[in-house]
Amino acid sequence: MLTTPRAAALMLLGSLAMAGSAAIIFGLDAEPMSVAAWRCFLAVPMLLPFVLWELRRVDRAEALPTRTLVGAAVGGVAIGIDYSFYNTAIGLIGPGLATVLINIQIVILPLLAWTLEGLRPMRQLLVIVPLMMVGVALAAGAFEETSISLFGVLAGLAAGAGYATYLAIIRRTAAPTLRPAPFTVLTVVCLTAGATALTGALVSGRAELPTTGTQWLWLIALAFIGQVVVYLCFNIGMMSLHETVAGALMLTGPIFAVALGIVLFADLPTPAQLVGCGLIIFGAWWASMAQRRRRA
């Protein structure tokens, strides 16, 4: 177990890596679905050493029942859709706003629980949902003379819905054991997510194979930073922190993404867009804290 400061630092590093992956996608200037597919497929060989180590120390029957493996495969389809829309949003509205919009998943998750299991959502959502929608409208430039791509905003929201669906599936199919096999599950997720994104690219006629060594290197960096580093940091850091603290630290990703967009690409948001981003992040933080208090 890590000390609290080190665990918090690891969580912040994971959030920075998540923002960095958005910056890489923005700089690649490639077909979004193809990037999503190669990102997932290239992460698999990087994860294999962790999988082999993991399979030697867990009870496979307990850690990887059929329900968990099927859930990982179906969840991978959802995350493949998420990545495809997320990459599309990054290309149209920039890495900062796209990463902020994904936080809509914090609101969608309890709504999914209500729909699937009849669990009434917390009362705070009556305020949080309108608050975040105002934030989305401000971030999208809806009240300004010059607005950004509406399709980019919708793609960002669709990515958040895909991510929420992935989380809902993974949580409901997780093995009830103290010694799970998260890296094996993640590898299955990457395989089906990559296949989903590649299928979408082929059907839409947008499948692209990188043609230069530089493109391959950036894709390898994306797979390492966006899949392996992010997952390692979050997986290890969350074990030593209260879940409320961990959830709050994960919400620093959009802040890092906006900052990197400004520093690396001079992607300067307007004051209204900054206020909108702030409202979305605050709404996500509020929902996260309220959910954890409700579970407690």
Side-chain angles (χ1 to χ4, degrees):
M1 296 287 286
L2 297 174
T3 62
T4 298
R6 289 183 179 179
L10 206 57
M11 292 293 296
L12 289 172
L13 178 60
S15 292
L16 178 60
M18 184 180 291
S21 67
I24 292 173
I25 293 167
F26 188 69
L28 268 171
D29 191 27
E31 282 296 336
M33 291 184 184
S34 295
V35 171
W38 303 129
R39 163 188 184 168
C40 294
F41 287 140
L42 289 172
V44 172
M46 301 179 193
L47 289 166
L48 282 180
F50 299 103
V51 172
L52 295 175
W53 168 80
E54 187 173 69
L55 292 178
R56 286 197 294 266
R57 62 183 290 273
V58 302
D59 183 328
R60 299 184 190 183
E62 286 187 3
L64 295 167
T66 301
R67 172 186 173 87
T68 298
L69 292 174
V70 171
V74 177
V77 174
I79 208 71
I81 294 170
D82 162 40
Y83 283 161
S84 297
F85 278 115
Y86 181 50
N87 292 0
T88 300
I90 287 172
L92 293 173
I93 60 179
L97 181 53
T99 306
V100 169
L101 289 174
I102 274 194
N103 280 289
I104 201 71
Q105 57 91 9
I106 291 287
V107 171
I108 294 175
L109 271 175
L111 296 179
L112 283 175
W114 189 16
T115 303
L116 298 175
E117 300 169 355
L119 297 176
R120 290 182 63 83
M122 54 198 173
R123 291 187 305 249
Q124 292 91 329
L125 284 186
L126 291 173
V127 178
I128 293 172
V129 171
L131 182 72
M132 293 186 76
M133 289 302 100
V134 171
V136 169
L138 285 170
F143 306 114
E144 300 175 19
E145 292 183 3
T146 56
S147 60
I148 59 177
S149 168
L150 176 61
F151 182 73
V153 173
L154 294 176
L157 295 175
Y163 187 52
T165 303
Y166 161 75
L167 290 177
I169 293 170
I170 292 298
R171 288 177 182 177
R172 285 163 176 76
T173 58
T177 176
L178 295 176
R179 300 184 69 185
F183 291 107
T184 305
V185 169
L186 180 63
T187 301
V188 175
V189 167
C190 285
L191 286 171
T192 55
T196 300
L198 184 58
T199 300
L202 290 171
V203 170
S204 63
R206 296 184 175 183
E208 281 187 355
L209 189 67
T211 56
T212 67
T214 301
Q215 287 179 323
W216 279 111
L217 286 175
W218 278 116
L219 284 171
I220 291 171
L222 174 62
F224 178 70
I225 294 172
Q227 304 290 116
V228 180
V229 173
V230 168
Y231 193 80
L232 272 175
C233 289
F234 286 166
N235 187 54
I236 297 172
M238 283 189 291
M239 293 174 62
S240 302
L241 293 171
H242 189 280
E243 60 179 4
T244 301
V245 177
L249 289 172
M250 288 179 71
L251 292 175
T252 59
I255 300 171
F256 284 129
V258 171
L260 286 177
I262 294 172
V263 172
L264 298 178
F265 306 111
D267 185 20
L268 298 175
T270 65
Q273 287 176 328
L274 285 174
V275 171
C277 290
L279 287 176
I280 295 170
I281 294 169
F282 174 72
W285 172 82
W286 186 4
S288 177
M289 296 284 282
Q291 285 178 26
R292 282 156 176 76
R293 282 197 298 269
R294 189 183 189 192
R295 291 194 196 107

